[in-house]
Amino acid sequence: PKITDRATIPGHIRTSRLTREGGKSALFAVSGVYDQSSSTVVRSFAMDGSGRISEKTTLDLGGYVQDIQATTEALLVARYDWNWSNNESTVTIVDISDPDGVMVEGAELKTAGRVNKKTDMNLYKGILRIASSAGWSGTDENHLETWNVADIKNPIAVDHETFGKGEQLYATLFLGNKAFFVTYFRTDPFHAFEITDEGDATEKAEFIISGWNDWFKPVFDDARLIGIGTNDESGSKMAVSLYDITDLENPEPFISRAEVESHNSWSEASWDDRAFSVLQGAVSVAAEDGTVETGMVLLPFQGYDQEYKGYIAGVQIFTFSESTLTRRGLMLHGTSVRRSFLADDDVTANLSEAALSLFDHTDPASPAELGRVELAPNYADFLVYGDYGARFKWDRDYWWWGDVQTMPDNELQVVPLSEDPDSAEKIASVKISAGASVMKVKDLAVTMETKYDYENYDEDKGYKRTTTMEVVDMSDPTSPEKVGTLVSDELESGYYGGGYWEDCWDCGGYYSYGNSAQAVGEALVFPNYVQQKKLLGIEHYCNTYPSNYGYGCEDVAYPEEGGGGDGKDTGAEEEKEPCKWYSGGIRCSYLEGEQELCTGSIRECGHDEAGQYSCVEVDPESIETETHCGQNERYRYWSSYELQVVDLSTPSAPVLTESIAMPETEEAAGVLAVGNALYVSYRVPAQVKGDPRPYVKYYFKTIDFTEPSNPVVSAGVNVPGILVAAEGGSVYTKDLVWGDDIVETAVNRLEVKDGKAVLKARKRFEDREVRSLHLDSKGKAFVTHRLAWHNAYDGGYDWNDIKDTLTILDLGGDQLTEAGEIEVDNWATLQDVKKDRALFSVPGGLLVINVENAGSPYAQSYYPMNGWPDAVVVEGDDIIVPAGRYGIYKFDINHMNLPLKLEL
């Protein structure tokens, strides 16, 4: 196949329809641009026999496109505006019957309620029938309206009926002169209507049942309905229902219902009727009463399953006759199935974003998997060993295959760094247990998996667990070898998350895998938190608030309805009247025998005529206040570290050594691994004479793991703040600085000698919050920081206007001298600094800042990516980013694609 021509369609395509007549072809497409000036545009294109495309007609209908019903004769396009309080939709009929692609736009129709989906609209024998919902505001009734549209430019209203008062509209179906609707609040009324050829509508019956249906599909020559929806009688379970619709006045049309196996489940089929399939003549199997069932329903779902002890994703098979409905077998898929359909007479195809699986359903009670093909391998990490990379293919997604025994293995795949890490053929591989994560420790790859016994619970230790660790020798990456195994019921690997955001991994987010372990020399160290608690005494407190506590003022921004002559906003905004309110509060408390401490303030806030907002502190005695007092026990809660250590100095015999329990009084603050040393930051409470406020002192200890079997713990060293970097004899801390009028962060450089730290340099970031600090190999520190939240709050800043800043510090000399600075996007995360490039994850991609000249850093390149990567690997001139099911990105660190700013 080859592309013969191409047409560009702005916006997001919502639907398209291809028509052919007399050798002519026309394509009609509806697209939407979603912003405050939203617009729905219909375009038509004619295509000749050679495949050439020419645009014929463009119709700008305006509004936010809700859904479209398409036939070969017409498009029914429903829109609404951004003012959700206007509980109506606008529907336009577009005539697309001309084989040359020329469209005719009909008149706009306003519906009494909100049109939610395509099946709410129907065109039958010149009568337009529309069901609309009560929505979230306005009327609390649902509506059935009909119009005679023989002349689409001059529709004539025929009938308007209401139903399902106080309930939401779900499944809708127009079927010749019949119509069926489901509304739901706590019960599920099934409404049956008759609609004459002239458009007169009459409700014939209403049947009450639990749960709801989202979709209806007619079967058996329109004598039966298959309903796809949810049964909420016990939990929430995807279900299939069977109805008899031969007699509209039948008070009990319900025949049968069957649910999926999962105890709690959900599905894309709830909002997209393309996700499931209802097939007739697909099978021939006996129901429990002997009735032959020839129909089959393929219903994708995912949810938690008690039998599998985990989340499952797959397709449930149901079979049906005119009088029976039976749940059959389950086709496990592993990731959320978006489409399930027949690939052949006896073969079902299940398609997710990740894979296509094929099952033989000859026996629908026991479908047999024939095979599957991966569409998007999930690469969760990329480890470098010499001239080779090992991509970690991780098949445990957010929805996994229930119990790990049913899951496929993960795999470590070795590829040459000289080739594309995403598409290169693997030259060697190692199978890894389905539930395991992996870490690089020098020339080793260490896999870890923890399994829990949910039938065995201990009040002190929780559920019984077993952790299996396997050591893979990667000294020769072309021939990796499993050399050692450790099994322990004490160790916990602690991996988290995985896969992509379900049903939306193409939206840009994905989970990543990882664990809390730290690679320190030839050891793996697992910092575990031990919860601590101490009763400090009886606390007496009083809380004081302004009597007229407020949250703001109502803005009068729009004229009354009809002010513009047509009930629409004229766009003329009225001036806001100045207003004021009080906020905040003061809490005073003390422990028996100790000094009272008061915190907080009361503020007078308001906005002026221009809408500018500001707050000022006021004397509580100058306004009316309320005070409420009481007493309670005051506790202090904190965590201390317990470090579990795995000695890997002999890879063939990994050993879990004796844990290192840090003193209970040392509150855990952070760990930092550098070479053979682990730096452990902690804090302890402190008191300042005459000051009732709580203080802490920060310390760090160094644990030397040169001999993993015999770690050496140093004495604590008092430092200002939390340790964030260490190099040679210097350590760097991030210090929160408090004053009467300031809260800011400082970065400190200290030299450690003979168990003491000497402050050598200090850089204050006034009114700023330091987020990260990275050191490079050239004597520079790279600090990211942003405006502290309380300064932003006090200053009335718009958070969208607050940017992060990268400041480059020169570490030479006795000062932390500022060498250069550049503003970066908010939500930016500094991943690493390598080869004079600062690499930032930013929304939508990777931003590369060139810092070769520290005095003039500049944005060098931007690489769009999906997701928010945890791992960014720099090897040579390549930036390598494993991005889950998006694959592995590879970028040139020297490439420039952003323009330089020129100062005139």
Side-chain angles (χ1 to χ4, degrees):
K2 64 178 181 179
I3 297 174
T4 57
D5 203 358
R6 187 189 306 269
T8 301
I9 300 176
H12 176 61
I13 296 178
R14 289 298 303 268
T15 195
S16 61
R17 172 68 69 174
L18 178 66
T19 63
R20 292 187 175 94
E21 182 180 328
K24 297 180 179 181
S25 299
L27 176 69
F28 304 86
V30 183
S31 62
V33 178
Y34 305 137
D35 54 28
Q36 290 298 328
S37 58
S38 59
S39 183
T40 300
V41 180
V42 186
R43 291 178 169 84
S44 65
F45 303 85
M47 294 179 287
D48 61 25
S50 63
R52 296 295 173 185
I53 302 172
S54 58
E55 186 164 353
K56 302 297 291 186
T57 314
T58 299
L59 304 177
D60 189 345
L61 304 182
Y64 184 106
V65 57
Q66 177 66 35
D67 216 329
I68 307 100
Q69 181 69 285
T71 73
T72 56
E73 301 295 320
L75 298 175
L76 308 179
V77 186
R79 293 97 64 209
Y80 59 89
D81 61 28
W82 286 92
N83 181 13
W84 277 86
S85 63
N86 180 8
N87 193 59
E88 63 180 25
S89 291
T90 301
V91 177
T92 299
I93 303 176
V94 179
D95 185 339
I96 61 171
S97 60
D98 188 337
D100 289 321
V102 177
M103 298 183 293
V104 178
E105 179 182 352
E108 289 187 350
L109 293 167
K110 297 289 187 182
T111 60
R114 179 66 54 84
V115 174
N116 293 313
K117 54 187 177 184
K118 62 185 181 182
T119 56
D120 292 351
M121 301 176 287
N122 178 261
L123 187 59
Y124 180 70
K125 294 184 178 181
I127 300 296
L128 176 64
R129 296 98 66 91
I130 296 179
S132 58
S133 169
W136 297 105
S137 60
T139 175
D140 64 350
E141 294 180 311
N142 298 286
H143 306 269
L144 171 58
E145 298 172 274
T146 62
W147 291 265
N148 185 315
V149 291
D151 179 359
I152 63 172
K153 291 185 177 293
N154 295 288
I156 300 171
V158 177
D159 200 356
H160 181 182
E161 302 290 335
T162 60
F163 60 96
K165 183 179 178 65
E167 298 169 339
Q168 289 294 303
L169 182 63
Y170 282 80
T172 55
L173 177 68
F174 292 95
L175 193 61
N177 292 113
K178 302 176 181 180
F180 304 94
F181 311 119
V182 168
T183 55
Y184 175 78
F185 183 60
R186 287 190 175 87
T187 57
D188 177 8
F190 176 93
H191 303 270
F193 277 81
E194 179 184 57
I195 307 176
T196 67
D197 287 352
E198 294 74 29
D200 293 317
T202 305
E203 184 167 9
K204 293 294 187 178
E206 178 180 322
F207 174 71
I208 304 298
I209 191 172
S210 63
W212 66 90
N213 291 293
D214 295 294
W215 304 100
F216 286 136
K217 296 291 182 181
V219 291
F220 297 120
D221 295 326
D222 299 345
R224 299 289 186 269
L225 277 188
I226 290 291
I228 303 296
T230 299
N231 186 9
D232 63 351
E233 287 180 297
S234 57
S236 179
K237 303 177 184 180
M238 295 299 298
V240 176
S241 301
L242 179 66
Y243 298 90
D244 178 356
I245 57 171
T246 54
D247 180 4
L248 288 180
E249 295 184 358
N250 181 359
E252 295 188 4
F254 175 74
I255 297 173
S256 182
R257 172 186 281 164
E259 303 164 349
V260 302
E261 288 189 12
S262 178
H263 291 74
N264 290 283
S265 54
W266 57 100
S267 171
E268 185 164 339
S270 295
W271 60 87
D272 190 343
D273 64 331
R274 297 169 298 177
F276 63 92
S277 291
V278 177
L279 308 162
Q280 290 187 249
V283 293
S284 181
V285 292
E288 191 172 307
D289 64 0
T291 303
V292 176
E293 296 180 335
T294 59
M296 182 168 68
V297 178
L298 305 173
L299 179 58
F301 75 95
Q302 55 266 6
Y304 189 82
D305 192 277
Q306 294 287 357
E307 179 183 349
Y308 288 93
K309 301 298 185 195
Y311 288 92
I312 61 174
V315 176
Q316 189 78 61
I317 299 176
F318 301 86
T319 57
F320 62 90
S321 69
E322 291 193 42
S323 59
T324 60
L325 173 66
T326 307
R327 182 180 72 194
R328 300 291 181 172
L330 174 63
M331 295 179 284
L332 281 172
H333 189 79
T335 52
S336 176
V337 174
R338 302 197 64 187
R339 302 288 185 268
S340 184
F341 53 93
L342 283 189
D344 203 350
D345 289 345
D346 297 320
V347 178
T348 294
N350 301 317
L351 179 66
S352 70
E353 303 282 11
L356 173 69
S357 63
L358 299 178
F359 284 79
D360 183 339
H361 64 253
T362 305
D363 178 2
S366 300
E369 183 170 351
L370 301 174
R372 67 176 57 219
V373 60
E374 269 196 297
L375 305 177
N378 183 21
Y379 294 125
D381 207 351
F382 192 81
L383 313 176
V384 175
Y385 297 92
D387 296 329
Y388 297 89
R391 58 195 186 201
F392 181 40
K393 182 173 174 292
W394 198 54
D395 284 319
R396 185 165 189 163
D397 286 286
Y398 182 62
W399 311 121
W400 54 86
W401 294 48
D403 189 281
V404 294
Q405 298 300 325
T406 67
M407 291 171 55
D409 287 332
N410 295 324
E411 190 176 26
L412 204 59
Q413 302 175 340
V414 178
V415 295
L417 289 176
S418 57
E419 298 183 25
D420 184 342
D422 182 67
S423 60
E425 291 292 329
K426 62 184 179 183
I427 61 173
S429 65
V430 177
K431 292 293 184 182
I432 296 172
S433 179
S437 59
V438 65
M439 282 196 69
K440 182 179 186 294
V441 183
K442 294 195 171 180
D443 287 335
L444 305 174
V446 182
T447 74
M448 295 160 283
E449 177 187 20
T450 298
K451 293 183 180 181
Y452 293 89
D453 178 1
Y454 292 107
E455 305 297 328
N456 203 326
Y457 183 79
D458 183 276
E459 290 188 1
D460 295 326
K461 296 183 178 181
Y463 289 107
K464 184 179 179 181
R465 61 181 182 266
T466 302
T467 296
T468 302
M469 180 179 292
E470 293 187 307
V471 182
V472 183
D473 184 353
M474 300 290 292
S475 56
D476 178 4
T478 64
S479 183
E481 180 183 5
K482 289 185 178 180
V483 294
T485 302
L486 171 66
V487 179
S488 170
D489 60 1
E490 295 293 329
L491 188 65
E492 185 169 15
S493 60
Y495 76 88
Y496 61 90
Y500 50 83
W501 289 107
E502 191 62 24
D503 296 327
C504 198
W505 69 274
D506 57 345
C507 297
Y510 62 86
Y511 290 101
S512 59
Y513 93 102
N515 54 63
S516 59
Q518 301 286 319
V520 189
E522 295 179 313
L524 269 180
V525 181
F526 297 82
N528 295 321
Y529 292 97
V530 180
Q531 301 301 317
Q532 308 290 351
K533 172 183 176 181
K534 181 181 179 180
L535 176 62
L536 300 179
I538 300 300
E539 177 187 48
H540 300 266
Y541 64 88
C542 289
N543 296 320
T544 300
Y545 303 101
S547 297
N548 57 342
Y549 199 93
Y551 294 95
C553 307
E554 292 187 3
D555 296 336
V556 182
Y558 302 102
E560 294 181 0
E561 184 170 318
D566 58 0
K568 296 181 180 179
D569 173 24
T570 63
E573 184 172 322
E574 296 182 359
E575 288 187 359
K576 298 181 177 68
E577 295 184 6
C579 68
K580 295 187 180 297
W581 67 93
Y582 293 100
S583 66
I586 297 174
R587 178 182 176 87
C588 294
S589 63
Y590 66 92
L591 293 174
E592 292 179 355
E594 295 188 8
Q595 188 176 347
E596 184 179 58
L597 171 64
C598 293
T599 59
S601 63
I602 295 177
R603 301 180 174 204
E604 183 182 77
C605 302
H607 63 58
D608 57 22
E609 294 87 344
Q612 295 297 313
Y613 162 83
S614 63
C615 285
V616 295
E617 187 173 340
V618 298
D619 182 353
E621 298 196 4
S622 67
I623 63 172
E624 185 178 344
T625 60
E626 298 178 5
T627 299
H628 304 277
C629 299
Q631 66 181 39
N632 53 248
E633 293 180 332
R634 184 197 290 180
Y635 288 88
R636 177 173 176 257
Y637 299 89
W638 74 99
S639 299
S640 59
Y641 281 127
E642 179 184 42
L643 308 176
Q644 293 178 296
V645 182
V646 177
D647 181 357
L648 297 168
S649 57
T650 305
S652 60
V655 177
L656 178 62
T657 67
E658 185 176 349
S659 296
I660 303 173
M662 308 302 285
E664 294 180 358
T665 55
E666 297 177 359
E667 182 178 351
V671 294
L672 175 69
V674 181
N676 291 330
L678 184 72
Y679 294 83
V680 180
S681 290
Y682 63 94
R683 51 189 165 238
V684 296
Q687 291 292 325
V688 175
K689 188 175 182 180
D691 190 340
R693 293 177 295 179
Y695 289 85
V696 294
K697 289 183 178 181
Y698 281 90
Y699 296 81
F700 76 87
K701 290 181 177 179
T702 306
I703 306 178
D704 186 350
F705 285 96
T706 302
E707 296 183 21
S709 61
N710 186 31
V712 179
V713 183
S714 73
V717 179
N718 184 209
V719 289
I722 298 174
L723 197 72
V724 292
E727 185 178 60
S730 297
V731 297
Y732 298 83
T733 65
K734 182 173 71 173
D735 187 14
L736 195 61
V737 181
W738 292 78
D740 291 336
D741 300 310
I742 63 166
V743 177
E744 63 189 35
T745 320
V747 171
N748 308 296
R749 187 183 72 201
L750 305 104
E751 288 189 4
V752 181
K753 189 175 182 181
D754 298 330
K756 291 187 177 181
V758 178
L759 182 64
K760 290 294 186 181
R762 180 178 179 86
K763 170 67 176 176
R764 288 176 57 186
F765 291 85
E766 297 184 8
D767 297 330
R768 310 286 291 181
E769 173 192 349
V770 170
R771 304 184 68 191
S772 68
L773 182 147
H774 289 251
L775 304 178
D776 72 357
S777 59
K778 298 182 178 180
K780 297 289 192 297
F782 298 81
V783 182
T784 60
H785 52 96
R786 71 184 312 182
L787 188 67
W789 71 268
H790 65 93
N791 294 99
Y793 179 81
D794 290 347
Y797 287 93
D798 184 342
W799 281 104
N800 294 319
D801 296 332
I802 297 175
K803 303 297 182 183
D804 283 18
T805 300
L806 171 66
T807 297
I808 305 172
L809 301 178
D810 189 340
L811 304 180
D814 295 332
Q815 300 297 323
L816 293 176
T817 306
E818 186 173 316
E821 191 170 85
I822 185 172
E823 191 176 76
V824 295
D825 192 18
N826 58 354
W827 299 107
T829 301
L830 181 58
Q831 295 282 3
D832 207 348
V833 181
K834 291 285 180 65
K835 300 197 71 172
D836 293 322
R837 305 293 189 273
L839 309 177
F840 283 89
S841 291
V842 295
L846 186 75
L847 176 66
V848 180
I849 304 291
N850 188 304
V851 294
E852 286 182 289
N853 180 354
S856 300
Y858 64 90
Q860 172 187 299
S861 52
Y862 169 76
Y863 298 108
M865 298 189 310
N866 288 301
W868 192 276
D870 274 335
V872 176
V873 179
V874 177
E875 189 63 30
D877 289 336
D878 294 327
I879 305 170
I880 301 171
V881 184
R885 292 203 181 274
Y886 298 107
I888 300 178
Y889 292 100
K890 180 180 177 180
F891 307 120
D892 182 353
I893 201 169
N894 298 310
H895 178 66
M896 177 182 293
N897 61 20
L898 294 178
L900 290 172
K901 285 186 177 180
L902 300 178
E903 294 185 6
L904 300 179

